[in-house]
Amino acid sequence: MALINPAGLLKPRIWSLVTQLALPMLRYRMRPTRTNLAAAVAPLHSDPPSELMLDTHAAVFQHLRLAHRMPGPIPNEALADCQCDALVVGAERDPLFPGIPLLERALELLPQVETRLLRDDRHFPSCRNLKVIMGWFDDFLP
């Protein structure tokens, strides 16, 4: 199993959710301009989002009903019987699931986990670090 910034391990930081994501998202919902969309998703991206990524976010916000609650955190015993090898990658500046606490939690939950931290990255890794992640996956996966 290989996971990048997974939901479900940690409870998201409420203050970050409100200040960095919810308020800009509310502004976008009230006035759906391209500028407001870019501001609403910027805290999630390590690199400025491409036009295609902005179009994707806009389509998600327009056509999907997003959950009102974030998943997790899963109970400590939920993965007690998991015997698979796991690689968990966390992003240091992820506003939803900050990398260091995320990786600490993965170490508590999964007996056979390897962890990697993306310094200075957010929820959506930078293009530079996508190549790094691919190398980690190549080394990790059979």
Side-chain angles (χ1 to χ4, degrees):
M1 163 171 58
L3 306 169
I4 303 172
N5 303 322
L9 300 185
L10 285 180
K11 185 175 184 178
R13 292 186 170 172
I14 297 301
W15 187 246
S16 290
L17 267 176
V18 170
T19 60
Q20 293 184 43
L21 299 171
L23 292 177
M25 180 54 63
L26 182 60
R27 185 178 314 120
Y28 171 69
R29 293 277 189 188
M30 292 173 61
R31 190 155 187 248
T33 66
R34 198 72 168 180
T35 300
N36 287 343
L37 174 63
V41 300
L44 295 170
H45 289 269
S46 299
D47 294 335
S50 67
E51 291 301 310
L52 177 60
M53 184 60 83
L54 287 174
D55 290 342
T56 303
H57 282 297
V60 166
F61 298 148
Q62 182 178 1
H63 299 291
L64 294 179
R65 185 178 182 145
L66 300 175
H68 295 309
R69 290 183 302 171
M70 297 296 285
I74 62 172
N76 288 346
E77 62 279 357
L79 297 174
D81 294 330
C82 179
Q83 296 301 314
C84 69
D85 292 329
L87 172 64
V88 177
V89 177
E92 185 177 40
R93 296 178 60 211
D94 187 332
L96 298 172
F97 314 110
I100 292 172
L102 176 79
L103 299 180
E104 289 171 350
R105 180 84 165 119
L107 288 165
E108 290 174 11
L109 290 171
L110 295 161
Q112 302 178 128
V113 69
E114 291 182 33
T115 61
R116 302 285 186 278
L117 180 66
L118 297 169
R119 299 247 175 239
D120 291 326
D121 262 17
R122 296 177 179 271
H123 194 73
F124 291 94
S126 66
C127 289
R128 174 182 40 86
N129 276 334
L130 285 175
K131 292 177 183 174
V132 171
I133 294 167
M134 286 188 294
W136 291 341
F137 281 10
D138 287 343
D139 293 342
F140 177 76
L141 297 171

